[in-house]
Amino acid sequence: MSIRIGTRSAALLAAALLAMAACLRGASAFSLSQDVGFVRDQVSGARQPAGLDVSEAEDLPPEQWFTEQIVDHFGDSDETWSQRYFVNDTFFEPYAPSDYGQVVFLCVGGEGPAFQPTVVVTGGPHCAWMIHLAEKFGALVVAVEHRFYGKSMPRPDFSTESLEVHGSRQAQEDLRLFRNHITNVTGGLHESAKWVTFGGSYPGMMAAWARELYPELFHASVSSSAPVEAVVNMQGYNDVVALSMTVANVGGSLSCLKNIKLAFSNLGYILQSGQPNMIQELANTYNVCSTNTSSITDPMNQKMFLESFWGLFPLQSNDPSCEGEYCNYEKICELFEKPVNPDKSLLALYKALTAGSNECLDISWNEMIESMKSPDNSDRSWFYQTCKEFGFYQTCDPGTFCPFTTSPHVSTVESYLEICEEAFGIDGSSVAASVAASNAFYGGWDYNATNVFFLNGEVDPWHASGVLHTNNDGQRTLMVSGASHHAWTHPVKPTDQQSVVFARKLIESVVKGWITDEPSSSVEV
């Protein structure tokens, strides 16, 4: 058997985000939602009694289906499909007087795996703090899946033909109709109820855009770690990764970054040496699958090999309180700051995080491409969106701050565009045009709606495309010191960083201001 470190496809890892999962970090670096390092299935705040495993509790909310969702909102057909969602009305009393009026909190689905019923009980990695706020403000809790993720499939597979009705704009129309559906089927819920959208990562983008496109339907939005500025060549992602390796309050340092860069530079040197014995020794050292070793000189296989090592680092999932070996930047930097050869430190990191596995390292570019062509491969869903809407291809270009291998220059934007071409028949110029169209449609960094709170993490690479500052009096922004990818939306832990605790308190205060219609300037923690 073979492994692809930290990603379901090593080639996707460098791009950073698809959801979430394999052997080391539990998430694909290409996916925005790399959350597994943080996730504990526990409710936030005091909502969960001690010792209760919510995942096994009885009487969890049943899955429900909106059976009249439109397949193609922009076409001529009235064909419908069934969209999956969950509701928790534990805190909601529609006929009782409330200081806050009627409030609905919507956990917006994204590119992650299928929702579990606990999404409206614990909130999961994107909406845990939302559940705390729902209890405090008496809100109806709703969570809805995004089309082509989880069980919500407008078409039966992930073929290119089926994915023609995929995308954020279709999904935004889904949210519009879904809101009307919930209003119609929930007894006592008024059309004038104040809906607040919540989400982290791509769901954070969707949450903010719902407020922007339909301000009459969605009263406000808490948008966490949302890279709203689409970009084809996302050099900023690995620039922030390099910065993260130097941030002192998560255990980083300049010497740590220097030694990590040296280790990756040395990998590149061996690959470019032209010395078969050296290259073969490198392949043997890192247990490259025997069927791949003879082709490790191929640039695309080298890309697969080098990007596999990115998954050894907590690119989006750094948790200062984690207990595993080399599970955060502090522990990794302690290793790289020891008076040893950086090459040995990288090897020690690799061996520690692959200990107990007898699987070899698969670096076959051609096999990955063939896998991406399969209409049954769910990875196609997010990658299609990158080709048609967002780009977000994390490269390691010479002249940038990327801490990984820049020579040979194999982590190129062209390599990701080749996947678009091979998997979907979408060429590079079309990708660039689509990215420009997305920014023109949603506004990118010039997002212009009100009642939106954008929060980003200091050591989250996705903040490179996030809204970090605003001149709009109706918006708020916060950079959460030392925090990773929407860490404040994850279930509460006693070891959470103080900056994360502060972010949650500020979210609570801001949301209270929105639902009581207090001026933003009067809101205090």
Side-chain angles (χ1 to χ4, degrees), residues 8 11-19 28-33 111 146 149 163 166-168 202 205 209 227 229-234 372 378-394 413 415-421 423-424 426-439 462:
R8 290 175 302 214
L12 303 189
L13 183 137
L17 232 162
L18 214 166
S28 161
F30 186 74
S31 161
L32 277 79
S33 305
E111 84 288 15
H146 189 297
Y149 298 108
L163 292 173
H166 190 22
S168 64
Y202 175 52
M205 297 159 66
W209 291 336
E229 175 74 11
V231 58
V232 179
N233 186 350
M234 194 178 182
M372 284 297 294
S378 61
D379 286 353
R380 286 171 55 86
S381 185
W382 175 252
F383 211 99
Y384 181 83
Q385 286 196 260
T386 70
C387 299
K388 291 290 289 186
E389 298 189 86
F390 307 129
F392 290 148
Y393 303 125
Q394 289 96 60
V413 70
S415 63
Y416 294 103
L417 296 177
E418 183 176 332
I419 302 175
C420 293
E421 178 73 45
F424 308 110
I426 302 172
D427 62 32
S429 60
S430 296
V431 174
S434 295
V435 167
S438 291
N439 287 331
W462 289 101

Side-chain angles (χ1 to χ4, degrees), residues 227-459:
V228 296
E229 175 74 11
V231 58
V232 179
N233 186 350
M234 194 178 182
Q235 295 176 333
Y237 184 95
N238 277 321
D239 285 350
V240 177
V241 169
L243 170 67
S244 301
M245 295 172 177
T246 70
V247 173
N249 67 1
V250 296
S253 67
L254 286 173
S255 60
C256 175
L257 173 62
K258 176 184 176 181
N259 286 331
I260 291 171
K261 288 174 66 72
L262 182 57
F264 277 90
S265 177
N266 289 343
L267 287 180
Y269 172 79
I270 293 173
L271 291 175
Q272 290 185 303
S273 68
Q275 300 295 321
N277 291 341
M278 291 176 62
I279 296 173
Q280 184 62 52
E281 182 180 358
L282 180 66
N284 293 341
T285 298
Y286 287 102
N287 197 26
V288 172
C289 298
S290 58
T291 55
N292 300 154
T293 54
S294 62
S295 59
I296 196 172
T297 55
D298 180 273
M300 302 314 292
N301 291 339
Q302 289 182 357
K303 169 188 170 70
M304 296 283 285
F305 175 72
L306 292 168
E307 291 176 3
S308 291
F309 293 95
W310 299 12
L312 298 171
F313 298 84
L315 306 179
Q316 300 166 201
S317 59
N318 188 66
D319 181 359
S321 66
C322 68
E323 297 179 356
E325 189 174 19
Y326 303 131
C327 60
N328 59 29
Y329 281 126
E330 181 177 16
K331 295 181 180 183
I332 290 173
C333 284
E334 286 176 357
L335 172 65
F336 277 89
E337 289 176 337
K338 291 179 179 178
V340 297
N341 188 310
D343 298 349
K344 293 182 179 179
S345 295
L346 183 62
L347 179 59
L349 180 62
Y350 174 86
K351 287 185 174 180
L353 295 182
T354 57
S357 172
N358 295 320
E359 298 177 342
C360 59
L361 178 60
D362 185 359
I363 64 168
S364 174
W365 170 267
N366 289 335
E367 288 182 11
M368 183 278 296
I369 289 292
E370 288 305 310
S371 173
M372 284 297 294
K373 291 179 180 180
S374 171
D376 298 322
N377 185 349
S378 61
D379 286 353
R380 286 171 55 86
S381 185
W382 175 252
F383 211 99
Y384 181 83
Q385 286 196 260
T386 70
C387 299
K388 291 290 289 186
E389 298 189 86
F390 307 129
F392 290 148
Y393 303 125
Q394 289 96 60
T395 56
C396 196
D397 294 336
T400 67
F401 292 105
C402 178
F404 305 119
T405 304
T406 59
S407 179
H409 183 206
V410 291
S411 296
T412 65
V413 70
E414 289 80 13
S415 63
Y416 294 103
L417 296 177
E418 183 176 332
I419 302 175
C420 293
E421 178 73 45
E422 292 283 348
F424 308 110
I426 302 172
D427 62 32
S429 60
S430 296
V431 174
S434 295
V435 167
S438 291
N439 287 331
F441 183 77
Y442 291 117
W445 280 320
D446 295 323
Y447 177 96
N448 198 34
T450 58
N451 283 9
V452 178
F453 191 5
F454 288 107
L455 300 96
N456 286 276
E458 182 184 12
V459 297

Side-chain angles (χ1 to χ4, degrees), residues 72 119 131 146 157 159 164 208 214 276 282 310 391 441 460 465 509 517:
D72 185 359
V119 69
I131 302 298
H146 189 297
D157 58 18
S159 66
E164 288 176 355
Y214 314 113
L282 180 66
W310 299 12
F441 183 77
D460 173 20
S465 280
S509 186
D517 293 319

